[in-house]
């Protein structure tokens, strides 16, 4: 019907009078790596909440591959192929790294299946591949709770990879990482672009510049899109400079 | 990720099975232990089954149900209906009807009682009724995402409502006196040592079966998801699992397990009445699990047996102080022993390491600390 | 002496009439004179006439041959003589010398009565009761006249109607007149009586009306039957109205009980998120405190916890001073429960703020502990807490009974809500409480001692529970397990209202109370009603899982 993988139109959402999302429209093409930036409270995380079904918009439409997302709940949306990494690392702390990835692998999500299924060699192989990518092979049997902050972030990205999601929603992947880790995360995301469609929310402008070399950047402000374009365009946009980059624009 | 039971664990399991199913009944038959003791232990094993059902919900899935005593007694009531009809004309009023019905002036057996003459039907109902109730309640509760303490409060209300219902005489379920004075089960005299031994063995087999089933279940992918729900239910939804279905399955399963335990409990203690289906009884079972160690399967069994053995002793030795003791014990365990008896060695080991680490600082360090602690006071 | 307040002139005229009757020798005239008093005589006449009937009025033959009716005072002097009082004016009987005359009882001649006279006297007495100063007795007298169905008494009733001030008595008189007319009047009057009864919505006349319908139908008096039928349906709708209002009122008072019991929980559970299973026991602390204060006002108290017996002497107060104990018990109940609550928070709950399920379990342990302590201190049986006299009694408005204790329940609930609202919204503590409950970290950064605020908040919630306990001691039994019977209800109330919302708790408590009472009214079975309410709550939470009032937030932890 339309060429966009994800299209959001006229979204509104308020929390006890506070308008978190204000007439937001957003379109995403397949294979894109989109970076979303914006000051605190611009509605970035709220937007992801709406896409993933965590909260429902007051008005507006949300479509993913011609599926109406509004009547769906979290796990139904997930099963369409939308994966999310949360702002604060959210992994199963009492499970091992291996188990975390195992739970994220594609396949049946039914209760009976979960009781009678056994891990298959190809599943094991896929997990090992992902472990390789996120560089946690040695820590496969560690409890996820025992990992360092950056490693948890990576594990959560690994869970998205294991899921083989079509659309990856990545909320502040570089938060709490060292510069080197951040750089590697950027490379990882860049290597995934094309195979997956990715939305990255980020604050760190160095990181944003790194990952949006070829992609587009969307700036959110007060719950709606302020401007959209290449990173250079966005950074030189006066409105953006005014509301967000202000002081930063000169230092970056 | 099903794994075969660990070898050492299997050995332990076999040993306990041998003890419970063969050794203890033999000892009873040859008079080495008295019938009363065996009967008491049969009761403890029923409690252990109840405790496992509580732990499956609370320890593994993070659902603190205060309704397990309800399912336990529903199972007991269903089986009790069969036992009551088996009394036949041997009741006080020498009537075909159960005594309480004669007393209330009934002349006919209510039609829903009639099928309970047949053991298979009663046995089916032991599973079916609690299963049905837990399905409906669980469906409603989990669908609307009632969780945490709200779930506890709601199960409390369910139990309370059910108890009110069973207290009513027009339920024709014995009112507040419930069922008692049982005579026969499957044609055997329920009061004879032989039958009691049989019931003990049945309970032991059930407990072992339940243990093995839960052991297996918690090691499957289902078990992983179960614990994931406990630790981070929202994340489970964002991993594509319908958490509500998993919770519903566990809730129904543990409801049925509790009911089976209750069904075997009733012929062994010889009575069932609505005071068994209270929140306090559910909470008592939670205490056993907390004492033994939640999130393990051995814990509930150890907890149920040890707390009840202590209770039997204490209620005879110092009845006034027992509730004080139990209350205090519970508070202390919740505060200081979150992993219960099973977790105690690890906890002690941890403390020991901690203590050793802090006890043996190098002389320089000792001086440094001394300086640090004295400094602020000297400055003032 | 009843009737002593009647105006002197009227009394004098009554005395004169009776005197005239006593001295008369014609029985018919006597009866006529007495009957003339039946409307105007009232209790005053009844009193004197009673003496006559009992043979305690004597006819003293004066030296001039005139008969003077007198009564004798009770005390006898040394010679066995009793002083005489003249019936005509109540003054002592004097001889020609002006000195009081004392008479010998045995030598006197009683004023005689015959059958028709005695009947007349009884009628006067009955009618006198119509003027009784006690409203309740007056109503009873009117009703007993109605039961006699004697048309001869209609004039008396009508006369009373002109004097009567009390609306309730007036209504009853109307009712009685109509009832008598319905039975004995002419056709036109009977139909009018039906209309009157229907308009009055007279519940007690339903039987008479039904009988009228039956007999009128039998005798082909269609108009009368129709009128009676209309009246019956009018009364039926009045009954429905009375029942509905009565149910609403009882529901409101039950709701108020729930509210008072749950308001403390709305603070500790709703605002702080602590599941306090010992909330019920905090109620009991309040109730026992009330009991102890009462005992100190009264006979004192002897208790023997753990085998150490000691006693507290009492003030042996009586009457209003004793009733005042309850006023003093209120603050004490609050303080005691608040202290227990603070101790509970410091020793147990503060370690478990992040683990709500564990706090549920630990506080259950506390609940067991406290229950047993109560049992060991005050015994397992219920203790007697007296209600102050100003809490017994009731108002009946338009056939609807408003018990004072139920009214008190509602007023008390309003007071507690106002108190809570004031504390939360108008005091520095309230400001801190709201700040900490909304954003703990932020409040801590601003220098708020959150630990202390937690403690005080919990203490405040517990204190409210104590107040509720003092209050429960007035509406039910006080025993060690009193708290257990309220714990489910109070949690339900808070959950339905929406956690963290006091208004929600108010609405939910009143709603549950009214629904509960309505179901009881409809089903005629309190237990079934209760079970249905629980079922309804579970279904309600399907529709609104977070209760009536959702506190929306952007918080991601929820």
């Amino acid at each position: 019907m339309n060429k966009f993988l994800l299209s959001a139109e006229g979204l509104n959402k308020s929390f006890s009078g506070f308008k978190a999302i204000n007439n937001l429209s957003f379109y995403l093409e397949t294979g894109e790596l989109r970076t979303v930036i914006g000051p605190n409270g611009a509605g970035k995380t709220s937007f992801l909440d709406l896409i993933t079904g965590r909260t429902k918009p007051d008005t507006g439409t949300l479509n993913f591959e011609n599926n109406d997302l509004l009547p769906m709940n979290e796990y139904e949306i997930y099963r369409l192929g939308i994966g999310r990494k949360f702002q604060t690392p959210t992994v199963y702390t009492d499970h091992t790294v291996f188990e975390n990835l195992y739970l994220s692998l594609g396949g049946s999500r039914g209760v009976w299946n979960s009781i009678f299924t056994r891990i298959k060699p190809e599943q094991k192989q896929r997990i090992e591949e992902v472990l390789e990518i996120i560089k946690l092979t040695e820590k496969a049997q560690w409890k996820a709770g025992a990992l360092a902050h950056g490693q948890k972030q990576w594990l959560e990205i690994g869970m998205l990879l294991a899921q083989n999601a079509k659309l990856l929603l990545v909320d502040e992947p570089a938060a709490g990482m060292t510069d080197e880790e951040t750089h590697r995360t950027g490379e990882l995301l860049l290597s995934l672009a094309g195979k997956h469609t990715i939305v990255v929310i980020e604050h760190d402008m160095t990181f944003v510049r790194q990952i949006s070399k070829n992609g587009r950047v969307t700036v959110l402000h007060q719950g709606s899109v302020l401007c959209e374009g290449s990173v250079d365009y966005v950074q030189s946009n006066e409105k953006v400079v005014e509301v967000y980059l202000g002081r930063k624009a000169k230092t970056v | 990720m099903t794994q075969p039971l660990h070898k050492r664990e299997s050995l332990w399991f076999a040993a306990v099975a041998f003890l419970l199913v063969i050794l203890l009944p033999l000892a009873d038959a040859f008079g080495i232990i008295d019938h009363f003791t065996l009967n008491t232990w049969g009761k403890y094993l029923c409690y252990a089954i109840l405790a496992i059902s509580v732990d499956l919900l609370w320890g593994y899935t993070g659902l603190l149900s205060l309704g397990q005593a309800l399912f336990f007694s529903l199972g007991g009531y269903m089986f009790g209906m069969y036992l009551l009809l088996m009394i036949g004309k041997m009741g006080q009023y020498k009537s075909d009807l159960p005594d309480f019905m004669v007393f209330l002036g009934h002349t006919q057996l209510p039609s829903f009682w009639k099928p309970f003459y047949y053991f298979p039907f009663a046995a089916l109902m032991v599973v079916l009724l609690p299963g049905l109730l837990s399905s409906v309640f669980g469906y409603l509760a989990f669908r609307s995402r009632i969780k945490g303490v709200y779930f506890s409060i709601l199960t409390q209300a369910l139990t309370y409502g059910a108890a009110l219902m069973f207290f009513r005489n027009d339920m024709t379920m014995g009112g507040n006196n419930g069922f008692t004075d049982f005579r026969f089960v499957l044609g055997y005299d329920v009061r004879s040592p032989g039958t009691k031994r049989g019931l003990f063995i049945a309970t032991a087999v059930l407990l072992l079966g339940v243990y093995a089933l839960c052991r297996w279940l918690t090691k499957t992918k289902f078990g992983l998801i179960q614990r994931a729900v406990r630790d981070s239910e929202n994340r489970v939804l964002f991993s594509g699992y319908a958490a509500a279905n998993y919770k519903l399955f566990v809730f129904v399963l543990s409801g049925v397990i509790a009911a089976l335990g209750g069904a075997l409990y009733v012929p062994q203690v010889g009575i069932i009445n609505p005071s068994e289906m209270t929140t306090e009884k559910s909470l008592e079972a939670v205490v056993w699990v907390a004492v033994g160690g939640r999130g393990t399967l051995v814990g509930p069994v150890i907890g149920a047996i040890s707390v009840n053995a202590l209770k039997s002793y204490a209620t005879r030795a110092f009845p006034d102080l027992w509730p004080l003791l139990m209350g205090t014990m519970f508070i202390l365990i919740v505060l200081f022993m979150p992993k219960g008896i099973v977790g105690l060695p690890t906890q002690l080991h941890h403390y020991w390491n901690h203590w050793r680490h802090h006890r043996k600082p190098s002389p320089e360090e000792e001086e440094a600390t001394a300086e640090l602690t004295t400094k602020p006071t000297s400055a003032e | 002496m009843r009737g002593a307040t009647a105006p002197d002139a009227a009394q004098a005229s009554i005395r004169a009439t009776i005197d005239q009757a006593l001295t008369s020798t014609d029985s018919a005239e006597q009866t006529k004179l007495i009957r003339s008093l039946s409307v105007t005589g009232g209790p005053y006449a009844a009193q004197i006439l009673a003496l006559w009937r009992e043979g305690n009025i004597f006819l003293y033959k004066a030296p001039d041959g005139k008969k003077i009716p007198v009564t004798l005072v009770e005390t006898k002097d040394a010679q066995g003589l009793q002083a005489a009082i003249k019936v005509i004016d109540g003054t002592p009987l004097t001889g020609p010398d002006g000195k009081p005359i004392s008479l010998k009882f045995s030598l006197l001649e009683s004023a005689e009565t015959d059958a028709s006279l005695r009947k007349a006297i009884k009628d006067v007495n009955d009618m006198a009761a119509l003027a009784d100063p006690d409203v309740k007795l007056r109503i009873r007298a009117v009703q007993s006249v109605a039961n006699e169905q004697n048309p001869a008494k209609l004039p008396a009733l009508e006369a009373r109607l002109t004097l009567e001030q009390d609306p309730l008595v007036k209504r009853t008189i109307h009712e009685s007149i109509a009832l008598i007319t319905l039975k004995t009047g002419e056709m036109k009057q009977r139909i009018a009586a039906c209309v009157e009864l229907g308009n009055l919505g007279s519940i007690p006349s339903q039987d008479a009306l039904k009988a009228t319908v039956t007999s009128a139908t039998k005798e082909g008096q269609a108009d009368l039957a129709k009128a009676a039928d209309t009246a019956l349906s009018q009364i039926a709708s009045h009954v429905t109205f009375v029942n509905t209002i009565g149910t609403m009122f009882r529901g409101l008072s039950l709701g108020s009980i729930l509210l008072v019991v749950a308001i403390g929980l709305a603070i500790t559970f709703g605002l702080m998120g602590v599941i306090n299973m010992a909330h019920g026991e905090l109620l009991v602390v309040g109730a026992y405190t009330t009991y102890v204060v009462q005992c100190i006002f009264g006979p004192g108290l002897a208790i023997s916890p753990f085998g150490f017996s000691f006693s507290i002497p009492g003030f042996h107060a009586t009457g209003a001073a004793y009733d005042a104990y309850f006023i003093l018990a209120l603050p004490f109940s609050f303080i005691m429960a608040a202290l227990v609550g603070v101790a509970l928070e410091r020793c147990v709950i503060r370690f478990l703020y992040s683990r709500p399920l564990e706090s549920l379990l630990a506080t259950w342990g506390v609940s067991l502990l406290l229950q047993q302590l109560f049992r060991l201190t005050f015994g397992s049986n219920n203790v007697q807490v007296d209600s102050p006299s100003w809490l017994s009694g009731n108002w009946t408005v338009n056939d609807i009974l408003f018990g004072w204790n139920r009214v008190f329940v509602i007023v008390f609930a309003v007071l507690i809500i106002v108190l809570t609202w004031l504390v939360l919204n108008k005091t520095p503590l309230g400001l801190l409480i709201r700040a900490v409950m909304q954003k703990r970290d932020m409040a801590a950064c601003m220098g708020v001692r959150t630990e202390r605020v937690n403690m005080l908040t919990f203490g405040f919630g517990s204190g409210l529970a104590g107040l509720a306990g003092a209050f429960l001691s007035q509406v039910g039994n006080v025993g060690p397990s009193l708290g257990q019977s309220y714990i489910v209800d109070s949690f339900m109330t808070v959950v339905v209202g929406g956690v963290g919302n006091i208004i929600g708790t108010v609405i939910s408590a009143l709603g549950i109370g009214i629904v509960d009472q309505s179901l009881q009214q409809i089903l005629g079975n309190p237990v079934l009603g209760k079970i249905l309410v629980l079922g309804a709550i579970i279904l309600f939470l399907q529709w609104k899982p977070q209760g009536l009032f959702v506190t929306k937030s952007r918080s991601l932890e929820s």
Side-chain angles (χ1 to χ4, degrees), chain B residues 77 100 103-104 163-180 271-277:
Chain B
Y77 261 105
F100 80 87
F103 183 74
L104 289 176
L164 285 179
M165 210 131 99
F166 274 80
F167 269 118
R168 283 160 46 89
N169 277 333
D170 30 356
M171 264 284 279
T172 51
M173 289 298 276
N176 56 353
N177 294 320
F179 305 154
T180 187
I271 183 166
I272 176 77
N273 60 40
S275 65
E276 290 288 328
M277 51 169 77

Side-chain angles (χ1 to χ4, degrees), chain B residues 190-257:
Chain B
V190 83
R191 298 168 194 194
S192 77
T195 314
K196 289 199 165 175
R197 202 150 48 232
L199 286 167
F200 177 85
I201 295 173
T203 313
V205 169
L206 179 65
L207 173 63
L208 292 164
V210 164
Y211 181 93
L213 175 78
C214 293
R215 183 75 180 79
W216 170 73
L217 192 65
T218 52
K219 287 290 170 192
T220 61
K221 186 182 175 191
F222 180 87
L224 285 181
I225 297 166
Q226 208 184 346
R227 283 183 290 129
V229 167
R230 176 193 68 191
D231 295 338
S232 178
E233 186 174 339
N234 280 332
R235 188 67 180 97
V236 172
L237 294 175
F238 290 105
S239 295
Y241 297 97
N245 295 350
Y246 287 82
K247 292 199 283 186
L248 182 59
F249 183 87
V250 181
F251 189 58
V252 175
L253 178 67
S254 48
V256 169
I257 291 175

Side-chain angles (χ1 to χ4, degrees), chain B residues 262-295:
Chain B
L264 281 171
Y265 174 79
V266 168
Q268 296 190 70
V269 297
I271 183 166
I272 176 77
N273 60 40
S275 65
E276 290 288 328
M277 51 169 77
T278 56
T279 314
E280 291 92 89
K281 294 279 173 182
S282 298
L283 276 163
E284 252 183 68
V286 175
V287 176
W288 309 333
V289 176
V291 169
R294 67 181 147 126

Side-chain angles (χ1 to χ4, degrees), chain C residues 368-553:
Chain C
L368 280 185
L369 204 71
L370 287 176
Q371 275 182 58
Q372 188 63 11
L373 285 178
F374 298 142
R375 222 166 264 135
L376 292 176
T377 313
F378 296 100
S380 329
N381 297 330
N382 289 337
V383 296
Q384 177 70 37
V385 178
D386 303 320
S387 289
S389 54
W390 33 268
L391 282 185
S392 45
N394 56 57
W395 286 312
T396 310
V397 181
N398 199 10
D399 291 327
I400 308 162
L401 196 73
F402 293 93
W404 287 354
N405 56 350
R406 286 188 187 275
V407 174
F408 158 76
V409 162
I410 296 169
V411 171
F412 193 85
V414 171
L415 287 180
I416 282 205
I417 293 304
V418 171
L419 170 77
T420 311
W421 186 84
L422 285 178
V423 169
L424 286 183
N425 292 292
K426 298 283 162 189
T427 63
L429 173 67
L431 183 68
L432 291 181
I433 290 177
R434 283 177 296 139
V436 171
M437 299 316 143
Q438 278 165 20
K439 273 239 179 310
R440 179 175 305 273
D441 303 346
M442 183 60 88
C445 289
M446 306 283 283
V448 177
R449 292 155 71 188
T450 55
E451 283 264 308
R452 209 164 143 252
V453 172
N454 280 339
M455 184 182 84
L456 291 176
T457 315
F458 198 84
F460 178 59
S462 308
L464 286 178
L467 270 186
F471 160 87
L472 287 179
S473 73
Q474 302 300 309
V475 295
N477 294 326
V478 176
S481 44
L482 163 74
Q484 290 300 303
S485 34
Y486 286 98
I487 190 83
V488 173
D489 289 334
S490 24
F491 271 114
M492 284 291 121
T493 306
V494 177
V495 168
V496 168
V499 168
N501 193 307
I502 303 282
I503 302 294
T505 306
V506 174
I507 294 177
S508 118
L510 298 183
I512 293 178
I514 289 172
V515 170
D516 184 286
Q517 287 299 315
S518 309
L519 283 174
Q520 265 193 39
Q521 180 81 29
I522 296 164
L523 301 167
N525 184 323
V527 178
L528 216 56
K530 181 123 200 153
I531 294 168
L532 276 182
V533 168
L534 289 174
I537 289 174
I538 293 174
L539 289 179
F540 171 82
L541 292 176
Q542 290 299 302
W543 172 51
K544 276 188 179 278
Q546 288 169 294
L548 278 173
F549 289 86
V550 187
T551 320
K552 277 189 187 165
S553 78

Side-chain angles (χ1 to χ4, degrees), chain B residues 58 140 143-144 149-150 153-154 156-157 161 164-165 168 283 286-287 294 320 323-324 327-328 330-331 334, chain C residues 269 275 277 357-358 361-362 364-366 369 372 376 491-492 499 525 527-528 530-531 534 538 541-542 545:
Chain B
W58 180 41
L140 291 176
R143 193 187 70 120
S144 52
V149 290
Y150 299 91
I153 293 169
L154 221 55
Q156 184 188 26
L164 285 179
M165 210 131 99
R168 283 160 46 89
L283 276 163
V286 175
V287 176
R294 67 181 147 126
D320 278 353
L324 296 182
T328 316
F330 197 31
I331 298 167
V334 169
Chain C
F269 174 44
I275 309 298
M277 294 292 275
L357 286 183
E358 269 91 335
L361 297 175
W364 183 65
V366 173
L369 204 71
Q372 188 63 11
L376 292 176
F491 271 114
M492 284 291 121
V499 168
N525 184 323
V527 178
L528 216 56
K530 181 123 200 153
I531 294 168
L534 289 174
I538 293 174
L541 292 176
Q542 290 299 302

Side-chain angles (χ1 to χ4, degrees), chain C residues 38 44 79 95 119-120 141 169 191 193 226 245-246 373 389 420 534 537:
Chain C
S38 66
Y44 192 75
Q79 289 93 34
K119 179 83 175 50
V169 182
I191 292 174
K226 198 178 153 214
I245 299 290
L373 285 178
S389 54
T420 311
L534 289 174
I537 289 174

